[in-house]
């Protein structure tokens, strides 16, 4: 900086003269040697020299220094009024500015700046207390939130690895970690000890979940390998049945039971092996289908032949001569058997059922005829007829005697018993 030179006199008193405290008295003066002083109450304090400039330039230089300080104070006041800035940060800045005002090399009402700054500092002190309380509450809430995250992670870590859906478990743990990071970045700063303690718990829970996952899938890989080997052997055995055709179906079913009991080998492996296993079975069942199709085609003529026999047998149901009906039916049944089996099975069963109904009808009539002509039954019937006839003769005599005596009661009893015996006799054909 150019050294101020002694310049024109400014409205000021000589050095050492008592200072006036009137409001119109200037805040600065320049001595003949270029020394610039600032008025502080009734005293003057030298703030520097500006010998190479005019007194006005010297004062202007140090007044700009004052303006800079005043701007800093004003800025602090504005920031405090507008809010948003931390009272603690503003207090720290105010303390720095306050240090600049002590013995400041500036010309102006420094005392007023100090008063404004002290008033602002007092306001900031009150705001700091409020902020401190809010900050403590925010920290407490942050501890609760972060603890909740930790407890959720620990709950996941405590689950049985064998019952866990690991895709969902991994997503849940990743979501908790994202919440942890967001909370750590955007939430209030926790004390070092609390933050470390919570992080250790969260880290341990994550490590436990990760270890369980690795162990589970390692075990699952072993299980899949065993199942894969077993199913591969079953596929090879199933494919080896191909030359047996339909006769291999029973063995294939046994292999299918073993397949169901062999466990899972992983979706892709299971699907690939099952495709081979099913193809082997399809080949066996395909042979059966081909045979049944051939048999069905060959049975068409046989079916028509049996329908003709059924048409011949149908009138036998009404044939009066049972011996003739039986003779014709036996001949039809013999031809039926000679024709042989037909396919499909359900068609054969329907035809057999129709013939069986005709045979049952003839047999029912034969049974009834045999019962009517059975000698033993005839003998028993004749004996019963004789007994009923004797009983009727006796009751008729008792009825006549009771009537002659005029015994109405005895006559009624004899008449009732007589009517019952006559009814029985009529039922026996007597």
């Amino acid at each position: 900086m150019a050294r101020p030179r002694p310049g024109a006199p400014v409205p000021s008193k000589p050095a050492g003269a008592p200072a006036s405290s009137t409001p119109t008295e200037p805040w600065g003066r320049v001595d003949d040697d270029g020394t610039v002083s600032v008025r502080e109450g009734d005293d003057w304090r030298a703030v520097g020299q500006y010998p190479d400039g005019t007194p006005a330039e010297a004062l202007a230089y140090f007044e700009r220094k004052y303006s800079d300080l005043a701007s800093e104070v004003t800025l602090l006041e504005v920031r405090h009024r507008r809010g948003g800035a931390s009272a603690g940060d503003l207090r720290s800045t105010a303390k720095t500015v306050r240090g600049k005002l002590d013995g400041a090399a500036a010309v102006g009402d420094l005392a007023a700046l100090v008063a404004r700054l002290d008033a602002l500092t007092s306001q900031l002190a009150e705001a700091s207390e409020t902020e401190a309380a809010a900050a403590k509450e925010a920290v407490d809430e942050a501890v609760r939130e972060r603890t909740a995250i930790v407890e959720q992670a620990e709950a996941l870590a405590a689950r049985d690895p064998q019952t866990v859906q690991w895709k969902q478990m991994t997503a849940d743990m990743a979501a908790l970690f994202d919440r942890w990071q967001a909370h750590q970045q955007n939430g209030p700063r926790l004390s070092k000890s609390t933050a470390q303690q919570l992080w250790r718990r969260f880290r341990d829970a994550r490590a436990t979940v990760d270890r369980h996952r690795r162990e589970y899938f390692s075990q699952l890989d072993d299980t899949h390998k065993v199942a894969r080997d077993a199913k591969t052997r079953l596929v090879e055995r199933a494919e080896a049945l191909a030359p047996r055709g339909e006769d291999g179906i029973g063995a294939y079913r046994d292999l299918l039971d073993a397949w169901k009991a062999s466990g899972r080998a992983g979706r892709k492996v299971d699907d690939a092996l099952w495709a081979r296993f099913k193809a082997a079975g399809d080949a066996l069942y395909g042979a059966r289908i081909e045979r049944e199709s051939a048999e069905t085609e060959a049975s068409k003529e046989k079916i028509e032949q049996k329908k003709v026999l059924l048409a011949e047998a149908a009138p036998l149901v009404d044939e009066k001569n049972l011996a003739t009906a039986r003779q014709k039916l036996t001949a039809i049944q013999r031809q039926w058997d000679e024709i042989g089996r037909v396919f499909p099975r359900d068609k054969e069963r329907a035809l057999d059922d129709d013939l069986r109904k005709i045979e049952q009808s003839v047999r029912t009539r034969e049974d009834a005829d045999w019962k009517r002509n059975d000698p033993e039954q005839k003998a028993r019937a004749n004996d019963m007829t004789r007994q009923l006839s004797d009983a009727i003769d006796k009751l008729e005599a008792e009825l006549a005697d009771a009537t002659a005596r005029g015994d109405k009661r005895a006559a009624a009893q004899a008449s009732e018993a007589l009517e019952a015996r006559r009814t029985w006799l009529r039922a026996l054909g007597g």
Side-chain angles (χ1 to χ4, degrees):
M1 180 185 66
R3 291 182 59 83
R5 59 181 177 79
V10 295
S12 60
K13 293 185 177 182
S20 172
S21 60
T22 60
T24 58
E25 189 172 358
W27 292 105
R29 70 182 184 188
V30 181
D31 295 338
D32 293 339
D33 61 357
T35 299
V36 180
S37 300
V38 62
R39 178 168 56 83
E40 294 181 337
D42 293 333
D43 298 324
W44 290 87
R45 176 174 62 83
V47 295
Q49 288 188 324
Y50 199 94
D52 295 334
T54 65
E57 291 173 340
L59 284 176
Y61 173 78
F62 286 101
E63 286 172 349
R64 285 196 300 272
K65 296 286 189 180
Y66 174 83
S67 296
D68 292 341
L69 293 172
S71 296
E72 292 190 48
V73 174
T74 301
L75 179 60
L76 285 172
E77 292 172 334
V78 170
R79 290 179 64 191
H80 176 56
R81 285 198 303 271
R82 289 180 177 175
S86 168
D89 292 342
L90 293 179
R91 286 181 65 191
S92 177
T93 304
K95 183 178 180 181
T96 301
V97 176
R98 183 67 174 79
K100 295 179 181 180
L101 291 177
D102 290 339
V107 172
D109 192 354
L110 294 173
L113 290 183
V114 170
R116 287 167 58 188
L117 201 57
D118 289 345
L120 177 61
T121 301
S122 177
Q123 296 174 14
L124 292 174
E126 296 177 1
S128 295
E129 293 179 359
T130 302
E131 280 188 356
K136 183 178 183 304
E137 178 60 28
V139 168
D140 292 342
E141 179 63 23
V143 171
R144 287 192 291 270
E145 292 177 1
R146 205 172 295 186
T147 300
I149 295 174
V150 170
E151 290 174 348
Q152 292 179 50
E154 290 174 337
L156 292 179
R159 294 180 59 183
D160 182 359
Q162 300 302 319
T163 64
V164 167
Q165 294 290 336
W166 281 103
K167 184 176 181 180
Q168 184 62 46
M169 168 71 86
T170 302
D172 291 344
M173 184 56 74
L176 288 177
F177 184 62
D178 290 342
R179 285 175 55 192
W180 177 279
Q181 288 186 313
H183 194 275
Q184 192 174 41
Q185 294 170 1
N186 304 322
R189 184 182 297 277
L190 307 186
S191 67
K192 185 176 181 180
S193 59
T194 300
Q196 288 181 343
Q197 179 187 16
L198 291 173
W199 168 247
R200 280 195 296 269
R201 290 175 59 188
F202 186 79
R203 178 196 61 199
D204 292 345
R206 286 184 70 206
T208 299
V209 169
D210 187 57
R211 175 169 53 81
H212 286 171
R213 183 182 60 81
R214 291 196 305 271
E215 292 173 351
Y216 173 81
F217 282 103
S218 176
Q219 181 181 0
L220 188 62
D221 287 342
D222 294 340
T223 302
H224 283 176
K225 183 179 183 302
V226 172
R228 182 177 68 249
D229 294 343
K231 287 185 173 181
T232 299
R233 290 191 295 270
L234 291 174
V235 168
E236 293 171 349
R237 291 171 61 186
E239 292 173 339
L241 294 174
R244 297 173 59 182
E246 182 182 358
D247 293 338
I249 291 179
Y252 180 79
R253 288 175 177 169
D254 294 338
L255 294 177
L256 182 59
D257 292 338
W259 177 282
K260 294 176 180 178
S262 60
R264 296 187 59 83
R267 177 176 296 179
K268 291 183 178 179
V269 174
D270 274 340
D271 290 346
L273 290 174
W274 171 250
R276 291 176 56 191
F277 188 82
K278 184 175 182 298
D282 290 344
L284 302 179
Y285 284 101
R288 168 182 284 183
I289 293 173
E290 291 178 2
R291 176 188 58 77
E292 291 177 346
S293 297
E295 290 176 340
T296 300
E297 184 64 26
S299 295
K300 289 182 178 180
E301 183 177 351
K302 295 180 179 180
I303 291 173
E304 294 302 322
Q305 293 173 356
K306 288 194 174 184
K307 285 182 178 180
V308 172
L309 292 177
L310 282 174
E312 294 178 7
L316 299 180
V317 174
D318 300 321
E319 174 63 47
K320 294 181 178 180
N321 190 323
L322 286 176
T324 300
R326 170 54 63 186
Q327 181 181 3
K328 291 182 178 180
L329 180 59
T330 300
I332 290 173
Q333 289 174 327
R334 186 177 299 110
Q335 295 178 58
W336 186 281
D337 293 338
E338 290 174 353
I339 292 173
R341 305 199 63 177
V342 299
F343 299 90
R345 302 296 191 193
D346 56 345
K347 188 66 177 179
E348 182 183 51
R349 284 193 293 271
L351 293 170
D352 288 344
D353 288 344
D354 290 342
L355 183 62
R356 192 176 298 110
K357 291 176 183 178
I358 296 173
E359 198 276 337
Q360 184 63 40
S361 176
V362 173
R363 180 182 295 134
T364 300
R365 292 173 58 200
E366 289 176 334
D367 290 345
D369 182 71
W370 182 83
K371 289 180 180 179
R372 285 194 302 270
N373 297 299
D374 183 11
E376 292 184 2
Q377 288 191 357
K378 284 185 177 181
R380 286 195 296 271
N382 291 334
D383 184 61
M384 180 64 70
T385 300
R386 285 193 301 272
Q387 292 180 16
L388 287 173
S389 296
D390 293 344
I392 289 172
D393 292 342
K394 182 179 179 180
L395 288 171
E396 287 176 343
E398 291 177 357
L399 176 62
D401 181 62
T403 301
R405 294 196 316 270
D407 190 346
K408 295 181 179 180
R409 181 177 180 183
Q413 291 177 347
S415 178
E416 182 178 355
L418 180 62
E419 182 61 29
R421 268 56 173 190
R422 286 172 177 172
T423 300
W424 295 349
L425 183 61
R426 287 193 295 271
L428 291 175

